Amino acid sequence: MPSLALTTTKWMLDAATRLLKATVRVHNISCLDEDMAVILVANHFTRLETVLLPYVFQKHAGQELWSLAAAELFQGRIAGYLHSVGAISTSDPDRDKTILHSLLVGDHPWIIFPEGRMIKDKRVLDERGMFAVFSGEEPRPPHRGAAVLALRAEFYRRKIACLAKRPGQPGLAETLDRFGLASAAEPLRKRTVIVPVNITYFPLRPQANLFLNLAKRAIRDLSPRAIEELSVEGTVLARDTDIDITLGTPIDAGTFLEAPEYAGLMACGDSDLDLLAAEPRAMFEEAAHRLMLRYMEAIYGLATLNHDHIFGGLLRHQGARTFTEYELRSRAFLAVRRLKESGQYRLHPRLEAQYPCLASGRACPELRDFLDLSVREGILRECGGRYVRTRHLRASAAGFHSVRTQDILYVLANELEPADQAAAVVKHAAAVPEEIVRLRMRRHFLDGDRAMFEEDYARYALEGESKPREVGAPFLLVPRVIRGGVVLIHGYMAAPLEVRALGAYLLEQGFLVYGARLKGHGTAPEDLAQTKWDAWRDSVDRAFAIVRSYTDSVIFGGFSMGGVLALLAAAEMRADTLGVFAISAPLELRSYAARMASSIVTMNTLLNLFSGRDAPWFVENVPENPHINYVRNPIAGVSELGKVMKAMERALPDVAAPALIIQGDGDPTVHPNSAGRIFELLGSEAKEVIMLERARHGIVNGPGSAEVFEHVGRFVRALEDKRLEAQSRQAV
């Protein structure tokens, strides 16, 4: 078959991929070996796949991919084009002979869509959980054509091998001629395999797009079906859509002919020629059925799981109970964690990288988009900070050819169901009682935080310099009756013990307190020198998840750099922040050398690279609390401190919760202007700044700390009283 049209198509698609926004990723194409005669079987959701897969296969594997196409497409010039790119009509009388020749020789791989047509609603399971194709009609099983062709090719291959071994090779020449083979050696170099392929799109939000608009201008009366298809496929190309094409493990068709019931058929006996002349399709029905089930399971098990799959599956199995956004996030976190630990499924890169953020209150655009879409489609209604499901996640009366534009959430949830283990994990996460969800979140992060500290301490602790474990370990203080929760954060070069006394005071006030241990702290300066500031933010996220597992009422508070991180968290987790307090938080440091830390780090790096000299990575530190703080300060750490201060400064206008700022007017470390500037930049309507007569930086310990505690206690008690009052009014 000529490849000019395919080359032209490739050129056009190469140009298109540079102009359009869709990103195509191909996974596991290296699974293909030279000894394989390949039939690809893939799911079929859009018309794009019929062009995209041949293009991708030639680009990444260097082979032309041939295909079967519906007979009604072979008309006029389109028929010529289809033939030229290796497509054969399903009604072509020589169809099987052509495919079998190709498979025996192994010169071209083939693509067959076992669903038979586009499955617009992605529904491929019937009520019994069996594979079935609906397509807006009565359900039918998926086509077994790919399985039968693979089995027939392997049957003939093995029969040719038998004939070639027999004395005098009777009947071999006629058999080779039947399939257009030059010699028996030609087919014996190959084996027939079926390779399952999954195509996953994310995000999938059909809407008006460039291609639809152009079509409307060119064609006056576009049919509703054409508009629907252009809405879907045009959006895939015109938006930042990720298209993941994943090849599964090749399935050797020959192994399905090794069952005991096929022993007589496959034996190298006198009836070989008769068997070759007969129509073997009926003899392979049982094997074809088993092979079809195998590759159908594999196709859907290869789906690249994304946010929509997880949220949609949770929503489908959530039941009638209402839920908050954070409750949905927690269940999603637990589900993704289990899926990731299993290693059985490919996760979309954004889901894999960002899923820990689901446990925090940080913005998750994918979740916000999903919830907004659920409200627009009438699946959910928001009421008083909780979501109420107003109807089941199923197709409306829109019809099969409108389901992708009218009920896209239903479509996306359907895509998860055939991935058995993933669907079971999500279903379980949706059904678990809320108390169990909280308990599992708590255990995961408490155990993880402790394990992370022990690992870092074992790796970095220095005899004679590092403090005892109890200094650096995170702590949890739980009152008998929890009035609220506080995420309490220590300062730079310090450890959780620095804020333990304040934590004990808040415990007496009825507040649960988790004293976070910031990554790189409580071990040795070498640990801190390797730590970036976003790892400190991650430490705060984990602390938030722990406190949030106990109470919905979360307050962030911290000392020095801990105050910086508390304010940053309050800005980034607005919806889940009841209030925030910061004590001696720096917006500007007094030391000029500290402000130059980033340049010093760069200079030291250059010295090490080009002169071989040991650069001064640490400077001596004389702390107020030598039993807690490091006595050596890594310059790289000071540079990261500067970065987090800048991040806080940018975020201050986003803080909405009530805020308390406390600073000593004679602080030798933090510039005295810091408190006033932070106060001015804060976006909070309710905010207060308190300047105390102090000549020390560490005002949360030692003389005068009781007054600091009283100010904090007054602030957090008022926050909780106001929350309870608002809750009572809402109940009435």
Side-chain angles (χ1 to χ4, degrees), residues 429-474:
V432 170
E434 184 61 30
E435 302 78 36
I436 303 300
V437 172
R438 288 177 180 259
L439 180 61
R440 289 179 180 173
M441 294 285 285
R442 185 180 310 155
R443 286 177 176 171
H444 172 77
F445 286 102
L446 280 172
D447 292 348
D449 254 16
R450 185 73 200 196
M452 191 179 298
F453 168 66
E454 292 294 343
E455 182 181 333
D456 289 349
Y457 195 89
R459 180 179 180 184
Y460 289 104
L462 301 172
E463 187 175 352
E465 181 174 347
S466 293
K467 312 303 184 289
R469 277 181 165 82
E470 56 268 24
V471 173

Side-chain angles (χ1 to χ4, degrees), residues 668-683:
T669 302
V670 176
H671 196 284
N673 291 339
S674 289
R677 288 179 58 199
I678 289 173
F679 178 82
E680 291 174 2
L681 291 171
L682 274 169

Side-chain angles (χ1 to χ4, degrees), residues 43-50 52 113 118-119 199 201 204 229 232-233 236 404:
N43 58 320
H44 196 13
F45 179 65
T46 74
R47 297 192 189 279
L48 293 174
E49 289 113 16
T50 56
L52 184 63
F113 298 100
M118 289 190 294
I119 307 300
I199 305 104
Y201 303 93
L204 200 55
E229 292 183 3
V232 175
E233 293 160 28
V236 166
R404 297 185 296 184

Side-chain angles (χ1 to χ4, degrees), residues 446-561:
L446 280 172
D447 292 348
D449 254 16
R450 185 73 200 196
M452 191 179 298
F453 168 66
E454 292 294 343
E455 182 181 333
D456 289 349
Y457 195 89
R459 180 179 180 184
Y460 289 104
L462 301 172
E463 187 175 352
E465 181 174 347
S466 293
K467 312 303 184 289
R469 277 181 165 82
E470 56 268 24
V471 173
F475 63 83
L476 175 66
L477 306 176
V478 185
R480 279 199 311 172
V481 178
I482 298 175
R483 191 173 183 184
V486 178
V487 174
L488 197 54
I489 314 165
H490 64 78
Y492 178 70
M493 285 197 301
L497 184 62
E498 182 178 55
V499 292
R500 182 67 182 254
L502 176 55
Y505 172 83
L506 292 170
L507 176 68
E508 293 175 358
Q509 309 301 306
F511 288 85
L512 176 140
V513 180
Y514 186 71
R517 174 246 173 187
L518 300 176
K519 183 81 169 140
H521 293 78
T523 53
E526 284 73 13
D527 188 6
L528 182 56
Q530 304 296 321
T531 305
K532 302 299 182 183
W533 77 267
D534 54 357
W536 302 336
R537 182 164 61 181
D538 292 343
S539 300
V540 176
D541 285 356
R542 293 192 300 274
F544 167 84
I546 291 167
V547 173
R548 189 66 171 77
S549 74
Y550 283 97
T551 174
D552 298 343
S553 174
V554 180
I555 300 167
F556 291 99
F559 166 72
S560 191
M561 185 182 78

Side-chain angles (χ1 to χ4, degrees), residues 574 580 652-660 679-688 715 722:
R574 291 167 53 120
V580 57
L652 284 172
D654 295 327
V655 177
L660 172 66
F679 178 82
E680 291 174 2
L681 291 171
L682 274 169
S684 309
E685 291 185 10
K687 54 185 178 179
E688 180 182 6
F715 175 71
K722 187 175 181 181

Side-chain angles (χ1 to χ4, degrees), residues 207-531:
Q207 57 190 244
N209 57 75
L210 172 65
F211 300 97
L212 176 58
N213 293 336
L214 290 174
K216 284 181 175 179
R217 291 179 185 176
I219 304 172
R220 180 174 300 177
D221 296 317
L222 272 179
S223 69
R225 183 169 172 177
I227 291 173
E228 184 269 347
E229 292 183 3
L230 284 167
S231 296
V232 175
E233 293 160 28
T235 299
V236 166
L237 294 172
R239 288 192 62 189
D240 292 325
T241 305
D242 291 336
I243 306 174
D244 283 277
I245 301 174
T246 306
L247 280 68
T249 302
I251 303 168
D252 199 322
T255 60
F256 286 79
L257 296 176
E258 294 168 2
E261 60 265 31
Y262 293 113
L265 179 67
M266 301 306 296
C268 203
D270 294 335
S271 59
D272 285 341
L273 292 177
D274 294 334
L275 290 171
L276 280 168
E279 169 56 60
R281 179 183 295 269
M283 294 182 284
F284 296 139
E285 281 303 306
E286 181 58 33
H289 179 72
R290 288 188 284 112
L291 180 50
M292 180 271 288
L293 291 178
R294 172 86 172 273
Y295 61 65
M296 291 298 287
E297 289 172 358
I299 288 171
Y300 298 106
L302 293 169
T304 300
L305 302 183
N306 55 54
H307 295 80
D308 287 337
H309 294 139
I310 306 302
F311 298 142
L314 289 171
L315 190 57
R316 166 168 277 167
H317 300 293
Q318 181 80 3
R321 63 176 177 268
T322 65
F323 59 91
T324 66
E325 179 178 324
Y326 190 76
E327 287 169 359
L328 185 64
R329 294 172 74 122
S330 299
R331 293 176 188 274
F333 171 83
L334 293 174
V336 177
R337 179 173 65 88
R338 279 193 61 190
L339 291 170
K340 184 173 173 59
E341 289 173 352
S342 75
Q344 188 173 348
Y345 293 95
R346 182 183 304 279
L347 302 182
H348 187 277
R350 291 213 299 273
L351 181 62
E352 185 163 20
Q354 299 171 7
Y355 91 94
C357 290
L358 291 170
S360 75
R362 296 192 184 283
C364 177
E366 292 84 1
L367 175 57
R368 184 74 266 149
D369 179 54
F370 178 86
L371 290 172
D372 290 344
L373 179 59
S374 300
V375 172
R376 288 199 305 273
E377 288 197 350
I379 306 294
L380 293 177
R381 176 170 54 86
E382 189 175 7
C383 182
R386 301 188 70 82
Y387 287 92
V388 182
R389 200 175 72 177
T390 55
R391 68 178 178 89
H392 290 291
L393 197 60
R394 58 189 177 205
S396 64
F400 180 76
H401 292 294
S402 299
V403 69
R404 297 185 296 184
T405 53
Q406 302 297 317
D407 302 294
I408 191 63
L409 288 182
Y410 166 74
V411 173
L412 296 171
N414 285 347
E415 190 170 30
L416 178 69
E417 294 300 305
D420 291 346
Q421 297 303 314
V425 166
V426 174
K427 184 176 182 179
H428 176 75
V432 170
E434 184 61 30
E435 302 78 36
I436 303 300
V437 172
R438 288 177 180 259
L439 180 61
R440 289 179 180 173
M441 294 285 285
R442 185 180 310 155
R443 286 177 176 171
H444 172 77
F445 286 102
L446 280 172
D447 292 348
D449 254 16
R450 185 73 200 196
M452 191 179 298
F453 168 66
E454 292 294 343
E455 182 181 333
D456 289 349
Y457 195 89
R459 180 179 180 184
Y460 289 104
L462 301 172
E463 187 175 352
E465 181 174 347
S466 293
K467 312 303 184 289
R469 277 181 165 82
E470 56 268 24
V471 173
F475 63 83
L476 175 66
L477 306 176
V478 185
R480 279 199 311 172
V481 178
I482 298 175
R483 191 173 183 184
V486 178
V487 174
L488 197 54
I489 314 165
H490 64 78
Y492 178 70
M493 285 197 301
L497 184 62
E498 182 178 55
V499 292
R500 182 67 182 254
L502 176 55
Y505 172 83
L506 292 170
L507 176 68
E508 293 175 358
Q509 309 301 306
F511 288 85
L512 176 140
V513 180
Y514 186 71
R517 174 246 173 187
L518 300 176
K519 183 81 169 140
H521 293 78
T523 53
E526 284 73 13
D527 188 6
L528 182 56
Q530 304 296 321
T531 305

